[in-house]
Short mmCIF file of all heavy atoms in Angstrom, two decimals:
data_model
loop_
_atom_site.label_atom_id
_atom_site.label_comp_id
_atom_site.label_asym_id
_atom_site.label_seq_id
_atom_site.Cartn_x
_atom_site.Cartn_y
_atom_site.Cartn_z
N ASN A 1280 110.18 110.54 117.23
CA ASN A 1280 110.58 112.01 117.09
C ASN A 1280 111.99 112.02 116.58
O ASN A 1280 112.76 111.03 116.73
CB ASN A 1280 110.44 112.72 118.40
CG ASN A 1280 109.85 114.09 118.21
OD1 ASN A 1280 110.05 114.73 117.15
ND2 ASN A 1280 109.16 114.61 119.20
N VAL A 1281 112.37 113.10 115.90
CA VAL A 1281 113.79 113.25 115.50
C VAL A 1281 114.49 113.57 116.88
O VAL A 1281 113.98 114.09 117.87
CB VAL A 1281 113.94 114.46 114.61
CG1 VAL A 1281 113.40 114.08 113.23
CG2 VAL A 1281 113.31 115.74 115.11
N ILE A 1282 115.81 113.32 116.87
CA ILE A 1282 116.57 113.28 118.12
C ILE A 1282 116.57 114.64 118.91
O ILE A 1282 116.57 114.68 120.04
CB ILE A 1282 118.00 112.71 117.84
CG1 ILE A 1282 118.62 112.32 119.21
CG2 ILE A 1282 118.81 113.76 117.06
CD1 ILE A 1282 119.89 111.59 119.07
N GLN A 1283 116.64 115.68 118.08
CA GLN A 1283 116.68 117.00 118.78
C GLN A 1283 115.42 117.41 119.54
O GLN A 1283 115.35 118.36 120.33
CB GLN A 1283 117.06 118.15 117.74
CG GLN A 1283 116.07 118.49 116.76
CD GLN A 1283 116.26 117.59 115.44
OE1 GLN A 1283 116.88 116.61 115.53
NE2 GLN A 1283 115.81 118.07 114.33
N LYS A 1284 114.27 116.68 119.13
CA LYS A 1284 113.02 116.92 119.81
C LYS A 1284 112.67 115.79 120.76
O LYS A 1284 111.49 115.86 121.37
CB LYS A 1284 111.95 117.08 118.72
CG LYS A 1284 112.10 118.32 117.89
CD LYS A 1284 111.02 118.43 116.91
CE LYS A 1284 111.15 119.68 115.96
NZ LYS A 1284 110.11 119.73 114.93
N MET A 1285 113.52 114.86 120.91
CA MET A 1285 113.18 113.66 121.76
C MET A 1285 113.65 113.83 123.21
O MET A 1285 114.78 114.26 123.45
CB MET A 1285 113.82 112.39 121.17
CG MET A 1285 113.49 111.16 121.90
SD MET A 1285 114.17 109.64 121.02
CE MET A 1285 113.17 109.75 119.55
N SER A 1286 112.72 113.67 124.11
CA SER A 1286 113.07 113.83 125.56
C SER A 1286 113.65 112.45 126.11
O SER A 1286 113.58 111.44 125.54
CB SER A 1286 111.76 114.06 126.35
OG SER A 1286 110.87 112.96 126.31
N PHE A 1290 112.79 108.48 125.07
CA PHE A 1290 113.82 107.48 124.81
C PHE A 1290 113.78 106.27 125.78
O PHE A 1290 113.77 105.09 125.35
CB PHE A 1290 115.22 108.13 124.79
CG PHE A 1290 116.27 107.26 124.21
CD1 PHE A 1290 116.57 107.27 122.84
CD2 PHE A 1290 117.11 106.38 125.01
CE1 PHE A 1290 117.51 106.49 122.27
CE2 PHE A 1290 118.10 105.65 124.46
CZ PHE A 1290 118.31 105.67 123.06
N GLY A 1344 113.86 109.36 112.51
CA GLY A 1344 112.76 109.66 113.44
C GLY A 1344 112.44 108.58 114.43
O GLY A 1344 111.48 108.71 115.23
N ALA A 1346 114.98 106.94 116.57
CA ALA A 1346 116.15 106.61 117.29
C ALA A 1346 115.93 105.72 118.54
O ALA A 1346 116.60 104.77 118.86
CB ALA A 1346 116.93 107.87 117.69
#
Side-chain angles (χ1 to χ4, degrees):
N1280 222 330
V1281 290
I1282 194 166
Q1283 67 269 24
K1284 296 181 180 179
M1285 186 174 293
S1286 67
F1290 193 85

